Amino acid sequence: MSANHTASRLSQVRGSGQKIAAAMASVLGVEVEIIDTHLVRVAATGSVRSQVGSRLKHGFVNKYVLEHGQPVFINQAGHHAICAACPLQGDCFYRASIVYPIRAAEAVIGTISLTAFDEGQRERLTTNTENLQEFIGHMADLIGSKVLEIESFAEKSKVAGQLAAVVDAVYEGLVAVDREGVITHFNSSAERIFKLPKEKALGRPLKQVLTGVPLLEVLQDGRGFSSREVFVNAGGRRFHLLSTARSIRGENNLVLGAVASFRDFQEAQKLAYEYISAGQVITLDQIIGVSPAMQRVKAQAEKIAHGNSTVLILGETGTGKEIFARAIHAESPFAGKPFVAINCGAIPESLLESELFGYEEGAFTGARRGGKPGKFELADGGTIFLDEIGNMSLYLQAKLLRVLQERQVERVGGTRLIPVNIRVIAATNADLQEMVQKGTFREDLYYRVSVIPLVLPPLRERQEDIPLLLMYYMKRFADLLHKDVRGFTDEAMRACVSYHWPGNVRELINVVEYAVNIEDAELVSLSSLPARLWQKDEAVFRETVEKTPEENLSGQPAGGSAEEHGAIVPLEEMEKVAIQRALQRFGWHEEGKRQAAAALGISRATIYRKIEKYRLRPEN
């Protein structure tokens, strides 16, 4: 086809069209041409065979048939009304022709012609015209049907390709079977979840690949299910998953197969917890903590909440910095307005800028039409929480400083300044002062964000709160998991209270979730806790948590055990005894203190602070 014309619908059948034309010419003894809507020869025989792909110079008859959709018989070229305007009149190399429209559904997509180039061929056309018109009409219908068939197949292939791409892009694992239980679909996420390449699954019976999948039940009864907890075996592994399944039905509601989605059970639970907590309004009164350290922090946060100054929340990972940020927002003049949180350490710098400040249309490849507002704009009128602010690059620190100073943002690729009325709460577990000294954090930004610092204590420094937190999250997970777990054994509780919790409250939450999943009894036992809580320096641990203070110091019971007298040992006394005994074992020198701190699971700085707090000396 000429490069000057876009592909026509008839061009899709060029190969089969040429075969049809050649067969017709051989049988009928006349020549055949197939012309598309651009007047381009799609197929031809005889002296114009070499001109397939070229455009007719005049084509008055073909134009007429394409326009009117009616067949035309030219008995003698040059003597028909259509030929009157043709410059070749009287000198046409066609002697006679029957031109018939080719339709696809209702549209005329081209013509098919029987043509005569000599007297013999003209005589054949003129002596059997009626039968030839009927025959060429059938051929036109055949070609039109072929075009529709190709287009239908192409459309179905396109839809199938799009569907396959969508199925493959879905995060959940998808597995589909036909009515015989043979796997027909196994997407990339299913490969990831079951750690099985799709080549080993497709075309095989489901029961040979995955066991424990209730898809065969769906095939039998036609009833699906939603969010069912299942245990699936695949490749010698056992997977704890959340599954939803549906039957695939055809005509007359006949079950043709079934499809199921799968997601990691614990991951789905965590997403649910995050979704539930994201929509909750958290107040300071709801934050669990009766220890003096927490009472001081909550009182300070309450005073901070009523202003609009920038707050910097400092604390180790897992101490609840975002919880405090939400509580401050809920009790501030910005309550009821947006609370927008972003973790500056979890997003690559190339994306963080556009996430924070937004972008204009055309700012970069793939930028959304119309642009996109950033987090600062979305938080307008409310609070923006910038977690892990210490991970910001110096470039973004400069842009943040401008926002804090001018309360205006400029989108990426934009030129206009957009005013924002926001309160900024930042958080970090890094030492920003040390970063300022090293030149990795701007000094002017440090003073801007640390107008009001709020320091959250680590969990190990508020042991009084540990039992409260344990019981709160135990009840929460027991309800979510439908488990009849109601508390902790004394031994398990002592282990949790004595543990140093390097991951703070976040680690405690994970430990409780683990324990409630594992435990089958009403009380969480020591063995249902993660091993790290009770296997670290077990000899020191056992002596510390299972004996009274008198036993720990003297090695002998003083008037009977604590259990016999119903004595309750204060937590501070237990901590004091544990540190005293560890120092007696490892020594009071520098290396001994380091080893004692390691055995107790605390830092060297903490053990020095505790020694001073309890006024511990070798002679004690």
Side-chain angles (χ1 to χ4, degrees):
M1 177 182 290
S2 170
N4 295 326
H5 301 284
T6 57
S8 65
R9 297 176 68 180
L10 266 183
S11 64
Q12 301 174 100
V13 294
R14 183 179 299 139
S16 56
Q18 184 59 45
K19 291 179 181 178
I20 291 172
M24 290 174 64
S26 176
V27 171
L28 300 176
V30 294
E31 306 305 336
V32 181
E33 281 185 305
I34 299 175
I35 310 296
D36 68 14
T37 51
H38 301 308
L39 297 182
V40 173
R41 289 185 177 92
V42 174
T45 62
S47 59
V48 291
R49 171 67 180 86
S50 60
Q51 297 180 39
V52 169
S54 64
R55 189 175 188 275
L56 297 180
K57 291 182 179 180
H58 303 291
F60 283 88
V61 179
N62 287 281
K63 288 179 183 178
Y64 180 89
V65 174
L66 288 171
E67 181 180 351
H68 294 87
Q70 296 296 325
V72 171
F73 172 49
I74 306 293
N75 182 37
Q76 184 72 41
H79 297 279
H80 193 280
I82 300 174
C83 302
C86 181
L88 296 178
Q89 185 180 17
D91 193 27
C92 182
F93 58 88
Y94 291 106
R95 295 295 181 88
S97 61
I98 300 174
V99 184
Y100 209 95
I102 299 174
R103 298 177 183 275
E106 297 301 318
V108 176
I109 62 172
T111 65
I112 181 170
S113 306
L114 298 180
T115 59
F117 293 122
D118 57 38
E119 279 301 315
Q121 292 178 337
R122 191 182 76 81
E123 187 176 347
R124 294 189 189 96
L125 288 183
T126 57
T127 57
N128 198 19
T129 305
E130 187 175 339
N131 290 335
L132 289 176
Q133 282 186 332
E134 184 179 355
F135 177 73
I136 196 174
H138 290 314
M139 291 298 101
D141 291 341
L142 175 64
I143 295 171
S145 298
K146 185 65 176 178
V147 169
L148 289 175
E149 178 186 338
I150 291 173
E151 290 177 343
S152 175
F153 180 78
E155 182 62 26
K156 289 179 180 178
S157 297
K158 178 183 175 182
V159 171
Q162 291 173 337
L163 179 61
V166 170
V167 167
D168 223 33
V170 171
Y171 184 74
E172 287 82 1
L174 293 179
V175 179
V177 297
D178 61 17
R179 69 175 70 186
E180 305 300 327
V182 174
I183 297 175
T184 57
H185 291 81
F186 199 85
N187 73 346
S188 297
S189 293
E191 291 182 292
R192 170 179 54 80
I193 290 172
F194 296 113
K195 297 176 174 54
L196 189 71
K198 65 176 64 178
E199 291 77 15
K200 292 188 176 181
L202 293 175
R204 296 180 60 192
L206 178 68
K207 58 186 179 182
Q208 293 182 9
V209 180
L210 307 174
T211 58
V213 180
L215 267 182
L216 299 182
E217 299 174 13
V218 178
L219 283 178
Q220 292 174 357
D221 58 31
R223 294 194 300 268
F225 54 82
S226 299
S227 302
R228 180 187 293 184
E229 183 180 2
V230 296
F231 293 90
V232 180
N233 296 305
R237 299 184 179 92
R238 191 167 186 256
F239 301 93
H240 187 190
L241 305 167
L242 198 66
S243 178
T244 294
R246 295 287 183 271
S247 60
I248 301 172
R249 296 179 181 270
E251 295 182 4
N252 301 321
N253 209 29
L254 182 67
V255 175
L256 301 179
V259 59
S261 66
F262 299 92
R263 189 166 199 152
D264 181 79
F265 185 80
Q266 290 191 355
E267 182 182 83
Q269 278 190 321
K270 289 178 181 177
L271 284 174
Y273 305 153
E274 290 173 6
Y275 176 78
I276 293 170
S277 64
Q280 289 180 336
V281 176
I282 300 171
T283 64
L284 289 168
D285 291 337
Q286 292 174 310
I287 297 178
I288 299 171
V290 296
S291 63
M294 279 298 287
Q295 291 298 327
R296 285 193 299 271
V297 172
K298 288 166 72 173
Q300 185 182 2
E302 186 174 7
K303 295 177 182 178
I304 292 170
H306 299 300
N308 62 358
S309 299
T310 302
V311 179
L312 177 63
I313 303 178
L314 302 167
E316 296 178 6
T317 298
T319 49
K321 295 186 284 294
E322 183 172 343
I323 296 294
F324 266 89
R326 288 182 179 274
I328 291 171
H329 169 75
E331 300 190 22
S332 74
F334 300 92
K337 300 294 184 179
F339 177 89
V340 177
I342 184 168
N343 189 325
C344 302
I347 303 175
E349 182 185 355
S350 58
L351 298 178
L352 182 58
E353 181 179 14
S354 60
E355 281 293 312
L356 284 172
F357 303 101
Y359 58 80
E360 296 289 1
E361 180 178 340
F364 49 82
T365 303
R368 181 190 298 175
R369 180 175 296 179
K372 177 186 174 185
K375 300 296 186 185
F376 283 107
E377 290 180 63
L378 295 176
D380 188 30
T383 301
I384 186 169
F385 175 59
L386 304 175
D387 199 7
E388 302 301 344
I389 193 175
N391 290 76
M392 270 191 178
S393 67
L394 290 171
Y395 166 70
L396 290 182
Q397 289 176 32
K399 294 197 69 170
L400 174 60
L401 179 63
R402 183 176 179 181
V403 175
L404 294 177
Q405 290 173 335
E406 302 176 7
R407 289 299 194 258
Q408 294 177 320
V409 296
E410 182 180 322
R411 291 185 181 182
V412 177
T415 56
R416 61 191 177 101
L417 293 175
I418 304 170
V420 288
N421 176 28
I422 53 172
R423 183 179 199 173
V424 176
I425 301 179
T428 183
N429 60 3
D431 188 337
L432 292 186
Q433 289 182 318
E434 182 180 346
M435 293 179 67
V436 169
Q437 294 174 358
K438 291 181 179 179
T440 56
F441 199 86
R442 293 178 63 105
E443 185 175 13
D444 47 5
L445 178 59
Y446 171 72
Y447 291 119
R448 276 284 178 180
V449 298
S450 61
V451 175
I452 303 179
L454 183 68
V455 182
L456 303 188
L459 187 56
R460 60 183 173 274
E461 292 184 6
R462 53 185 188 105
Q463 288 181 312
E464 302 95 323
D465 299 331
I466 294 176
L468 297 176
L469 291 164
L470 289 170
M471 294 304 294
Y472 173 81
Y473 286 107
M474 179 276 300
K475 185 177 185 309
R476 177 179 173 183
F477 286 115
D479 291 342
L480 286 168
L481 298 172
H482 306 293
K483 300 289 287 285
D484 190 23
V485 180
R486 302 180 182 179
F488 293 76
T489 65
D490 292 342
E491 188 180 37
M493 181 63 76
R494 285 197 298 267
C496 291
V497 172
S498 300
Y499 183 59
H500 59 287
W501 298 109
N504 294 294
V505 179
R506 185 177 298 146
E507 182 184 10
L508 181 143
I509 295 171
N510 291 336
V511 165
V512 176
E513 181 182 4
Y514 172 88
V516 173
N517 270 287
I518 296 299
E519 188 58 66
D520 293 323
E522 289 188 359
L523 299 179
V524 173
S525 63
L526 187 66
S527 61
S528 293
L529 296 173
R532 66 180 182 277
L533 269 74
W534 48 272
Q535 284 186 344
K536 189 175 180 68
D537 199 355
E538 191 170 347
V540 174
F541 168 78
R542 287 286 182 187
E543 291 176 328
T544 300
V545 301
E546 294 179 355
K547 295 182 180 180
T548 66
E550 293 80 5
E551 286 179 291
N552 276 317
L553 288 172
S554 65
Q556 298 295 328
S561 68
E563 284 88 356
E564 290 174 2
H565 292 283
I568 297 176
V569 182
L571 295 175
E572 285 196 351
E573 187 65 32
M574 293 176 64
E575 182 180 63
K576 175 181 176 181
V577 169
I579 295 173
Q580 174 84 11
R581 189 162 185 82
L583 289 169
Q584 287 175 351
R585 168 172 294 192
F586 296 109
W588 291 83
H589 46 76
E590 293 297 319
E591 179 60 22
K593 290 175 182 177
R594 185 192 67 76
Q595 293 181 17
L600 292 168
I602 60 178
S603 68
R604 186 157 44 174
T606 299
I607 199 169
Y608 275 102
R609 190 172 71 254
K610 298 293 185 181
I611 289 172
E612 290 304 313
K613 176 181 178 180
Y614 298 126
R615 301 181 182 277
L616 298 177
R617 299 292 182 269
E619 58 272 16
N620 289 346

